[in-house]
């Protein structure tokens, strides 16, 4: 198919004037929430006691929606886990302080020999004795 010069020029002009393709609509998952808006204390509070106070202050009749009750429960669990971790680390540190240092061992011709004897904790010693007795009793029963 052939066009004359005028028709060809006219087609080129029309081609430049055609609308550009329409961009696809933006889905809701691609829309970013505005972070500049300030969040309420109920949404940001991490202390369960303060969160409870905020919930009661925000509710005129004392009713709280289930999703906020769940949030309160989660903050309480998180706080309990944190206190348990602190207690365990404190007990471990305390136990390390109570343990006597291990006796130094050196090599002799006859084999390994303890260099020095340290006095053991009497409470631990009685616990070990009681434990050995229980083990022996279990062996006797079998």
């Amino acid at each position: 198919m052939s066009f004359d010069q005028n028709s060809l020029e006219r087609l080129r002009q029309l081609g430049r004037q055609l609308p550009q393709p329409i961009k696809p609509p933006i889905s809701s998952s691609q829309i970013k929430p505005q972070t500049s808006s300030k969040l309420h204390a109920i949404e940001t509070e991490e202390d369960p006691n303060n969160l409870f106070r905020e919930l009661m202050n925000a509710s005129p009749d004392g009713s709280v929606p289930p999703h906020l009750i769940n949030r309160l429960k989660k903050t309480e669990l998180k706080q309990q886990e944190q206190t348990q971790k602190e207690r365990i680390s404190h007990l471990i540190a305390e136990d390390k302080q109570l343990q006597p240092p291990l006796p130094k061992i050196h090599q002799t011709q006859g084999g390994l020999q303890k260099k020095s004897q340290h006095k053991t904790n009497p409470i631990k010693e009685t616990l070990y004795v009681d434990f050995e007795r229980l083990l022996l009793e279990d062996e006797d029963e079998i």
Side-chain angles (χ1 to χ4, degrees), residues 18-40:
L18 288 176
Q20 298 298 322
I22 299 173
K23 294 180 182 177
I26 298 174
S27 66
S28 61
S29 63
Q30 293 175 343
I31 297 174
K32 295 180 182 176
Q34 293 181 349
T35 56
S36 62
S37 64
K38 294 196 176 194
L39 297 176
H40 194 274

Side-chain angles (χ1 to χ4, degrees), residues 2 16 28 36 44 55 66 68 76 103 127:
S2 64
R16 289 184 204 124
S28 61
S36 62
T44 59
L55 289 172
L68 293 176
E76 287 174 343
L127 290 174

Side-chain angles (χ1 to χ4, degrees), residues 75-119:
T75 57
E76 287 174 343
L77 285 174
K78 194 182 293 184
Q79 186 182 38
Q80 286 175 353
E81 289 173 357
Q82 183 65 27
T83 55
Q84 284 178 349
K85 286 179 184 178
E86 289 173 1
R87 286 180 186 162
I88 290 171
S89 63
H90 177 70
L91 289 174
I92 289 173
E94 192 175 281
D95 188 45
K96 285 182 181 178
Q97 291 175 352
L98 292 176
Q99 286 180 349
L102 294 174
K104 294 183 179 178
I105 299 175
H106 62 74
Q107 184 108 14
T108 62
Q109 289 179 352
L112 297 177
Q113 186 178 23
K114 290 184 181 179
K115 190 173 186 179
S116 63
Q117 294 283 335
H118 290 284
K119 292 183 179 179

